[in-house]
Amino acid sequence: MVARLLPLVGQQTRSHGTRRRPLAGAAGPGTHWREPEEVALAARRLPRWSELRPLLRPERVPLDPVERRLSHAHTVADLRAIAARRAPRAVFDYADGAAEQEISLCRARRSFARAEFHPQVLRDVSAADTGVTVFGRPWPVPFALAPTGFTRMMHHEGERAVVRAAQRAGVTFTLSTMGTTSIEQVAQEAPAARRWFQLYLWRDRAAGKDLVERARAAGYEALVLTVDTAVAGARMRDVRNGLTIPPALTPATVLDAALHPAWWVNLLTTEPLTFANMHEWHGTVADLVNTMFDPSVTFADIEWLRGLWPGPLLLKGICTVADARAAVDHGADGIIVSTHGGRQLDRAAAPLEVLPAIVDAVGDRAEVLLDTGIMNGGDVVAALALGAKACLVGRAFLYGLMAGGERGVDRAIAILTGEIARTLQLLGARGTGELNPAHVSLR
Ligand SMILES: Cc1cc2nc3c(=O)[nH]c(=O)nc-3n(C[C@H](O)[C@H](O)[C@H](O)COP(=O)(O)O)c2cc1C
């Protein structure tokens, strides 16, 4: 038998033997002494083939390139890393970036890191119900997909891919006014999907009214009016990248095409990339917002909209108790505490931190939802414990879309859902309904 006894002892130990040693810098009166170090001895031998064989498990490498790519994505952050490689720089930055110094986004993400969970143990958590009820309807998971403009820029299948994935998972999909697939096309693509429509109020009120009527006719369940976009936020990454809609062919973008050929081939060989619910636009997003959007909108317009829309009406972008009260007083059924993913006002308060006071003020009269900065299912659980009915996620599914199209969105939804279920179980909650403020505090 090939067996030797090797003393696994370091130089220092050998020279000191088993003598007691003072801790570094702690000599003198009150010195602390360590216990004598043990001399570890391990018997070594050559392994037998019969022992090695069961350990050899060759990894199955998927042949499909999308599947292969997504097999490396275990978190939303992994999807983000893949997206950063797959999409042209200006496209990735459009989704990933925020306004000015990006303080609002950082602050929102940091607030989730501040959330400190207080688990309750020895509960039977063999099953965890991730479902919630929003406006009287059951949702299988406590999050919806937020409205995102220009989604076909992220991936040529855009909203079609996203709404199909949403339908499969039973997740509510919100179509943006700035969407690149029309209200009707999205409805046709996924007729069974739970769909909301997001509206911006334009200077041209008749055009806004037309969109609301089309959304109603096409079976959208709720109307989300975004109210934090009086003027365009200054998204410095877009300014520096010279991003225009549609992307212009400049020497820089042509060079980029060499680095991301698949994205450019898809862009140039599928239907032209334009806004589906508004007139064609050639220029920057900021110029578009400042030209079309109406900065004179007030709470009086909410009453006008209320008269047009019989279903649930939510205001998105509310961040103070006073505005939450005013929104509900003027007819809103729900509010989304949100800083627009940090893409509008910089230095805004973190939604998670203002949430409890807003829930206290209007939670008995309206559904309170939250978004901005969610990268993990634990973030969603923290928001629910602090009183949110549900959350919206934006970038999380866009990273999936950029990383792997429709299957990437499936992956993002599955990752968040798994994280939510696991967090509930480790918190000792059998379902979202058992969450309460005792489960979380903000450090
Ligand atoms: C690329 C992108 C486009 C967006 N477009 C819109 C939009 O058209 N309308 C809107 O109300 N919000 C829009 N938002 C904001 C989202 O609806 C949501 O508030 C935000 O993404 C939430 O933050 P998160 O991305 O960190 O989850 C957009 C966000 C992103 C990232």
Side-chain angles (χ1 to χ4, degrees):
M1 191 175 95
V2 187
R4 283 175 59 208
L5 292 180
L6 290 180
L8 294 182
V9 286
Q11 207 71 52
Q12 209 177 26
T13 313
R14 215 177 282 154
S15 64
H16 286 287
T18 55
R19 260 180 45 220
R20 290 178 158 205
R21 265 188 303 126
L23 285 174
T31 295
H32 302 288
W33 294 94
R34 278 192 180 149
E35 289 307 310
E37 290 176 25
E38 283 181 14
V39 176
L41 297 175
R44 300 219 181 227
R45 62 182 180 77
L46 281 177
R48 293 191 189 93
W49 171 242
S50 61
E51 291 163 338
L52 283 178
R53 202 175 43 204
L55 304 180
L56 295 175
R57 279 175 232 138
E59 205 186 332
R60 189 187 72 86
V61 180
L63 293 178
D64 179 272
V66 176
E67 207 187 314
R68 197 163 53 237
R69 219 179 298 139
L70 293 176
S71 69
H72 299 293
H74 309 292
T75 61
V76 170
D78 291 341
L79 287 172
R80 177 179 179 273
I82 300 170
R85 290 197 297 275
R86 296 290 304 167
R89 172 76 185 266
V91 171
F92 176 76
D93 275 350
Y94 173 67
D96 192 61
E100 316 250 359
Q101 298 176 70
E102 308 197 350
I103 294 172
S104 294
L105 177 60
C106 278
R107 206 168 261 169
R109 292 216 171 122
R110 267 209 311 265
S111 71
F112 290 115
R114 282 187 60 211
E116 189 172 75
F117 284 135
H118 307 295
Q120 297 168 349
V121 297
L122 296 175
R123 313 288 198 273
D124 175 2
V125 288
S126 16
D129 180 3
T130 57
V132 287
T133 303
V134 180
F135 296 120
R137 302 196 180 221
W139 287 13
V141 290
F143 62 88
L145 306 187
T148 58
F150 228 52
T151 309
R152 281 194 55 234
M153 185 167 74
M154 270 53 103
H155 184 275
H156 62 285
E157 290 184 24
E159 289 87 357
R160 283 193 168 89
V162 182
V163 77
R164 283 195 300 256
Q167 175 172 263
R168 218 173 359 262
V171 175
T172 297
F173 166 82
T174 316
L175 176 65
S176 163
T177 298
M178 314 265 274
T180 39
T181 309
S182 76
I183 292 175
E184 294 77 13
Q185 285 167 332
V186 165
Q188 267 166 23
E189 192 66 45
R194 182 147 280 168
R195 282 169 278 111
W196 287 5
F197 182 69
Q198 178 266 323
L199 182 74
Y200 283 121
L201 272 184
W202 296 337
R203 294 174 202 272
D204 178 357
R205 285 287 193 281
K209 182 166 180 265
D210 179 54
L211 288 180
V212 172
E213 281 164 2
R214 283 171 54 195
R216 191 178 162 188
Y220 286 70
E221 285 177 12
L223 185 66
V224 177
L225 178 71
T226 300
V227 291
D228 55 12
T229 319
V231 294
R235 300 175 195 157
M236 301 319 296
R237 296 201 216 178
D238 297 352
V239 174
R240 295 203 178 95
N241 290 330
L243 179 77
T244 58
I245 305 245
L249 285 172
T250 63
T253 51
V254 170
L255 178 68
D256 183 78
L259 299 172
H260 303 98
W263 186 91
W264 281 93
V265 167
N266 286 329
L267 174 80
L268 297 172
T269 59
T270 53
E271 57 187 301
L273 182 59
T274 52
F275 293 108
N277 299 314
M278 53 196 285
H279 303 300
E280 214 173 309
W281 181 262
H282 291 271
T284 67
V285 178
D287 287 344
L288 168 83
V289 169
N290 292 333
T291 309
M292 303 274 297
F293 291 23
D294 185 354
S296 72
V297 174
T298 68
F299 280 101
D301 294 285
I302 310 303
E303 286 172 17
W304 168 76
L305 204 54
R306 183 71 282 182
L308 295 180
W309 183 263
L313 172 66
L314 297 101
L315 299 199
K316 172 170 175 283
I318 297 281
C319 287
T320 67
V321 166
D323 279 358
R325 284 209 176 100
V328 179
D329 291 345
H330 285 83
D333 305 296
I335 60 172
I336 302 172
V337 183
S338 160
T339 56
H340 207 117
R343 298 161 73 79
Q344 285 297 114
L345 174 70
D346 203 13
R347 297 172 192 276
L352 190 70
E353 289 171 17
V354 296
L355 174 74
I358 292 180
V359 171
D360 265 1
V362 300
D364 55 341
R365 294 193 289 149
E367 304 279 51
V368 180
L369 287 80
L370 173 140
D371 79 16
T372 299
I374 291 171
M375 291 286 285
N376 181 283
D379 300 342
V380 176
V381 173
L384 298 187
L386 290 176
K389 228 349 147 25
C391 294
L392 276 71
V393 296
R395 294 182 182 85
F397 82 82
L398 289 178
Y399 295 141
L401 183 66
M402 287 187 274
E406 185 171 339
R407 281 179 279 169
V409 181
D410 287 338
R411 189 94 190 100
I413 293 172
I415 287 171
L416 289 171
T417 305
E419 289 167 345
I420 291 167
R422 185 171 58 243
T423 307
L424 286 172
Q425 288 171 299
L426 291 175
L427 266 179
R430 277 164 293 211
T432 56
E434 287 190 4
L435 289 172
N436 63 68
H439 282 112
V440 64
S441 53
L442 293 178
R443 277 182 80 92

